[in-house]
Every structure is written in C-alpha cells, then in structure tokens.
Amino acid sequence: MPPREPFPELDDLLASMGEAGSRVSEIDASEAGAGNVSVYLGWDVELRHRFPVQEDIELPLPAPSLAGRTVLVTGSGRRLRQIAGDPLANVGALRVHDGGLTGTLHSSPRRLFATLTSELNSHLAVHEDHVSRRGLLFHAVVHAQPPHLTYLSHIPAYRDDAAFNARVLRWEPESIVALPEGVGVLEFMVPGSEELMAANVAGLRTHQIVLWSKHGVMARSDDSVTRAVDRIDYAETGARYEYMDIVAGGRAEGLTTAETADVAAAFHVESPWVRP
C-alpha cells in the first residue's frame, strides 16, 4: 500500500532505496554506474540532520506540482549496489522551490557525486506527470539496464508492443498478474534527450514499466521503490526465458492464450494482452 500517516522515516526510505539498488545489481541490471532511482515524498521531511549541505540548482524542466516537496535521487555515476552500504554518500534530497523551476539540493558531507543522475529530466517529468494528474503522496521511479530485456530490443521484431508482450508474458503465470498492462516498448532515443523524456512520460501513463530500446527500462510504483524493482524483475525473467527459447531453437511452448486467460480470470486481472 502507498505510504499513509504516520509517514515512513527518512532512514527507512533510504534503506528501501538501498534494497532496491541491491536487487537491481543482483539481476545484472546496473553495470558500473548504470541505473538510477528517485522517490517523490509528498509530505514534510526533515533533511538537516542527514543532509546538512545545501546548494541551489536549476531543474532540467518545470515541475510546479512538486513545489515544496522532496525527491530523493541517486547521484550521477554512483553504483546502485553501493546505496545500501552508505546511502548518504550516494543519494541527494532535492527540495523543489515554488514555481518548480529551481530547487535546493540537500546532501551529506560524505557525498560522492558532483550532480544528480543524468536522467534527472526523465525522473522529474514522470513524477510531475503523476503527481499533477493523480495527486499522489508517494511515487518511486527506477531506471535499470537488464541484459535480456535490452538484448531483445536489439531484435527489430520485438520492438512492437503486441509482439513483445505476446512473447515475454507467456513464460510465467505470475507475469500477467504482476504486469497486467505489459511492457511499453519505445524505439531507441538518445539517453537524457527531451525526445526520450517525452516518450517515457507518455509510456508510463499507460504502463508501469517501459522498455527503452537498445538501452534499458524505467519502472514506476505508487507503493514502494522495491515494488518498482519487482516489475523490472518479472519482466527481465520473462525476457530471460524468451532468450533461452531463442537459443534452444524455439522449442518451448510457454503458456497458451487460454491458459493465460484462465490465470487472469482467477486473479481478477484486466489486461489488453488477455484474449478470452
């Protein structure tokens, strides 16, 4: 469930970011400094004790709906697997100013990054979109680079929503339950570009995970940062089965459309990828 009063403590939120980063690393989805995490907090948060260093920065895009609130964000070049060991060295807290054009970056004296993630525009744009439309108090976004999902996106036949989801959602009964909207597939766009940012925002309105072709994925959750990582985990597992089947010469059957429909009916799941 999404956070409700009493809201989670800052240390607990940082710990959850560390747990999420560790899982992303465990599935080989964050080589070196790849991948990034952000968490929007729609309530007042005391930052001075953990993040006493302050500097004002310009935001990469207007985010007026986030004004007065805080976004916890991983630093550029930091390794997601290292968040758990020292979150204060790897995460900054961005307090957005009125108007949403600037903010104050709060950080620790142990900070090991010069700036926040280079994908900050995509993170803020997704938070702004969901908070402005849905009035959320909590929102988590995770970008990672899972190898099997990314590999499949290098095959032209998989760069289509219908084809991709038909192949990847057929390997586990849990897939249609965990990913009822499936995976939204975007064409290749330059990382950090406005083009990718806009396409990513649109994709995450209708999906909870989107595939950035030839690059990686971004997932979101209203519940927790670990739930966003769960979506990546399920999608990557389906992609790994699909890769195994390609290597084996396409010998495996996977779930039939009827079997998938039975699972969806049993768990009361509505999905565009289920045919009666």
Side-chain angles (χ1 to χ4, degrees), residues 12-26 80 83-85 225-226 229-230:
D12 293 332
L13 292 162
L14 292 170
S16 72
M17 293 178 72
E19 182 182 350
S22 295
R23 182 55 187 160
V24 169
S25 181
E26 287 170 358
L80 295 189
I83 299 174
V225 64
T226 50
V229 172
D230 286 346

Side-chain angles (χ1 to χ4, degrees), residues 30-67:
S30 61
E31 68 278 10
N36 29 74
V37 178
S38 69
V39 180
Y40 165 78
L41 311 176
W43 61 90
D44 292 335
V45 183
E46 171 56 57
L47 300 175
R48 290 175 298 173
H49 296 301
R50 293 290 182 266
F51 298 111
V53 180
Q54 300 180 28
E55 63 175 291
D56 288 343
I57 64 172
E58 292 187 9
L59 303 189
L61 76 163
S65 298
L66 311 185

Side-chain angles (χ1 to χ4, degrees), residues 85-120:
D86 193 350
L88 298 183
N90 296 285
V91 175
L94 177 61
R95 180 72 55 80
V96 179
H97 295 166
D98 289 345
L101 299 177
T102 59
T104 298
L105 173 57
H106 298 252
S107 60
S108 165
R110 300 206 302 275
R111 166 178 162 180
L112 294 176
F113 54 92
T115 61
L116 296 175
T117 172
S118 61
E119 304 282 2
L120 182 61

